[in-house]
Amino acid sequence: MSSLKTRLRGFAAAVLLSLTLAGCGYNAIPTYEEQAKAKWADVQNNYQRRADLIPNLVATVQGFAKQEQTVLTAVVEARAKATQVKIDVSQLSDPEKLKQFQDAQNQLSGALGRLLAVSENYPELKSNQNFLALQSQLEGTENRIAVARRDYIEAVRVYNTSLRTFPGILWAATFFRANKPMAEFTASEGASTPPQVKF
Amino acid sequence: MAASAVAAARTARRLVLAGLMLAAAAALAAAANYPALTGRVVDGANVIPADARGALTARLADLEAKSGIQLVVATVTSLEGQEIEPYANELFRAWGLGQKTKNNGVLLLVAPNERRVRIEVGYGLEGTLTDALSKVIIVNAITPRFKAGDFGGGVSRGVDDIITVLTTDASEWQARPSLRLDSRKDNDSRIALALMIFFVIMLVVFSLPVVRQHFAGPPQHGRRRSHDGGWTMGGESPSTGGSSFSSSDFGGGGGFSGGGGSSGGGGASGSW
């Protein structure tokens, strides 16, 4: 009888302990960390999606504007470079790495912008159905990138705040010593407003 | 003494910084005030004639009854200085259109004063109502009528086309919505299983006589915990990982409300 009682007491203590830990925000840090990582995966996926659209776009433009070889090569090269820079989730606390990624992607954005500007000069290209579809897909992807970046910035803010504020700061100093604040994605100009692809 | 004062000052500074960040976030969240979701057609700019509004509402209700898809038409007098893309995305999320597990919502947003229109597509429908198709609908069905000042007609035709795209390819969209959600549902059940196993293990551990003796008084709990935190980490951390993921608080009214769906910026915009 009494052994059952102590057993129950032990179980109750275990439940209480886990509830107390949860109540004290023990879960917050890993939760926010996972969320931020998931948001990063979204960011990277959307950039990848953009990179996937480019070969098709380049091929279409080439069909109408062969003489724009320099602009086209610039896009192809920038794409190759941008797809090489990948960030593993464990590297998110490294601002240098994040900056590399961002620079490579910005370069691709610039090259793409020039390509689209140049294509304005080719009326036949501009009315090509394939080109129009690609253009709207590209526009949509740029918008998705903007949304994914915004979500990531917000998730990182929440995570970093939890590391620096009470009660998270206590856990960060004890159990989660290995958890470093993640690098802030500087919202570059044009990130909050998706680039307008004019028709 | 001096060192501790410095440390205290640093902690205080950090706290102030964190407080500022929170305040900034709160300000950001309250920056735009969105109209309330009063029905399937929220005509804030008052450009859709009453009879067209009634017909639209009936068709949109029919769509949801048949497919579960929540398509909402909204017109606003102002985009609050934002571009239409971020505004539409935030409005979509504030309203939580579509079922939470399927994210099958669509928002047709019209800003007559800015002369901008956007179809914002929820995650679950991105594969069916693609960016290119959304653009085609805007360019062919909507903006030519808006140009002529026929907002009721443009919206009606746009809604018709969206419904056509969404419903003709039934097998497609039935397969799609699971893209994002099944993985999450899967996650949830795995977490539940992990928790259950955790508690069973705890039960067994605590009923072992040796452990029971060891855990006789409350002070030992603290000591053991500081010795190794391993066992608490294993089972604990994921328990809130899946559930707190999306914010689904939305204010619905008049018997109609969003289901907590979200959007990642799919769709297309146009102007006239």
Side-chain angles (χ1 to χ4, degrees):
Chain A
M1 199 61 212
S2 78
S3 92
L4 181 73
K5 226 173 174 179
T6 36
R7 199 174 300 183
L8 273 177
R9 209 164 53 195
F11 182 64
V15 171
L16 199 71
L17 188 64
S18 59
L19 283 180
T20 322
L21 278 172
C24 287
Y26 180 87
N27 292 335
I29 291 176
T31 305
Y32 294 146
E33 186 185 16
E34 289 309 315
Q35 280 172 10
K37 283 179 180 173
K39 297 297 178 195
W40 173 255
D42 272 352
V43 171
Q44 204 148 271
N45 281 345
N46 281 311
Y47 275 118
Q48 182 59 44
R49 185 191 169 117
R50 177 171 80 166
D52 292 343
L53 283 173
I54 289 174
N56 225 335
L57 183 74
V58 167
T60 309
V61 174
Q62 220 157 16
F64 292 87
K66 277 204 179 60
Q67 56 273 48
E68 304 290 352
Q69 214 38 269
T70 46
V71 184
L72 287 164
T73 357
V75 170
V76 171
E77 273 167 12
R79 176 190 180 268
K81 227 179 188 167
T83 45
Q84 269 167 18
V85 185
K86 281 257 191 311
I87 298 192
D88 191 74
V89 282
S90 60
Q91 300 168 319
L92 282 175
S93 51
D94 183 359
E96 198 49 45
K97 194 86 185 154
L98 201 65
K99 195 172 171 304
Q100 257 179 34
F101 180 85
Q102 195 162 350
D103 286 348
Q105 294 296 348
N106 283 349
Q107 206 165 358
L108 179 55
S109 302
L112 263 179
R114 278 192 295 281
L115 178 67
L116 290 172
V118 158
S119 60
E120 288 290 305
N121 303 330
Y122 299 87
E124 267 178 76
L125 173 62
K126 266 169 50 182
S127 57
N128 177 272
Q129 281 305 316
N130 197 12
F131 181 70
L132 287 178
L134 279 169
Q135 224 178 2
S136 60
Q137 276 171 319
L138 195 60
E139 203 178 41
T141 302
E142 296 283 2
N143 187 43
R144 282 193 185 82
I145 291 173
V147 171
R149 284 177 60 118
R150 210 177 58 209
D151 287 350
Y152 172 70
I153 290 170
E154 175 63 15
V156 166
R157 190 193 60 74
V158 169
Y159 170 67
N160 286 352
T161 308
S162 81
L163 283 182
R164 286 167 195 160
T165 49
F166 184 84
I169 193 165
L170 298 180
W171 301 118
T174 50
F175 291 105
F176 300 119
R177 234 179 253 268
N179 286 48
K180 297 270 172 291
M182 289 185 187
E184 312 263 347
F185 221 153
T186 46
S188 68
E189 66 288 0
S192 49
T193 54
Q196 290 307 304
V197 184
K198 291 274 180 283
F199 276 70
Chain B
M1 200 58 202
S4 78
V6 169
R10 203 168 48 204
T11 315
R13 213 163 48 219
R14 267 190 213 157
L15 283 175
V16 167
L17 189 72
L20 281 178
M21 278 162 69
L22 277 177
L28 205 71
N33 59 44
Y34 299 110
L37 183 57
T38 49
R40 293 173 200 278
V41 181
V42 183
D43 190 12
N46 207 15
V47 289
I48 304 174
D51 53 336
R53 214 179 300 169
L56 272 173
T57 307
R59 250 180 301 163
L60 298 178
D62 186 50
L63 174 71
E64 187 175 356
K66 278 185 183 149
S67 64
I69 296 170
Q70 275 189 336
L71 170 56
V72 168
V73 177
T75 67
V76 291
T77 47
S78 159
L79 294 173
E80 321 246 338
Q82 289 194 67
E83 288 289 331
I84 196 165
E85 287 87 1
Y87 185 94
N89 183 250
E90 277 157 35
L91 183 64
F92 189 109
R93 289 182 176 185
W95 283 354
L97 300 182
Q99 290 151 349
K100 189 173 179 179
T101 49
K102 290 187 172 172
N103 290 312
N104 52 353
V106 180
L107 172 67
L108 173 58
L109 178 68
V110 184
N113 293 325
E114 280 91 349
R115 302 180 82 84
R116 299 276 286 153
V117 57
R118 176 163 180 83
I119 298 175
E120 178 84 10
V121 182
Y123 282 124
L125 297 174
E126 281 181 358
T128 319
L129 187 56
T130 58
D131 299 352
L133 277 172
S134 307
K135 188 84 200 182
V136 167
I137 293 173
I138 286 176
V139 170
N140 292 340
I142 299 179
T143 49
R145 289 179 176 78
F146 282 6
K147 237 177 232 161
D150 179 14
F151 287 97
V155 167
S156 294
R157 271 304 300 271
V159 165
D160 280 350
D161 285 3
I162 293 172
I163 292 177
T164 310
V165 169
L166 289 176
T167 50
T168 41
D169 215 353
S171 59
E172 173 89 321
W173 60 254
Q174 273 166 351
R176 289 280 176 172
S178 43
L179 261 177
R180 286 193 160 248
L181 330 153
D182 277 2
S183 54
R184 191 171 307 162
K185 220 188 296 160
D186 210 29
N187 228 8
D188 276 347
S189 64
R190 227 179 297 149
I191 287 164
L193 190 70
L195 264 181
M196 224 144 75
I197 292 171
F198 172 75
F199 279 118
V200 167
I201 290 173
M202 291 315 290
L203 193 64
V204 171
V205 166
F206 275 90
S207 42
L208 287 175
V210 189
V211 181
R212 223 162 55 215
Q213 270 164 21
H214 189 69
F215 274 70
Q220 270 92 338
H221 286 244
R223 207 194 302 153
R224 168 164 162 97
R225 205 175 43 191
S226 55
H227 271 311
D228 77 74
W231 60 274
T232 41
M233 274 187 208
E236 265 305 302
S237 49
S239 65
T240 52
S243 56
S244 61
F245 201 77
S246 64
S247 61
S248 60
D249 39 320
F250 40 84
F256 175 68
S257 66
S262 187
S263 156
S269 352
S271 51
W272 67 92

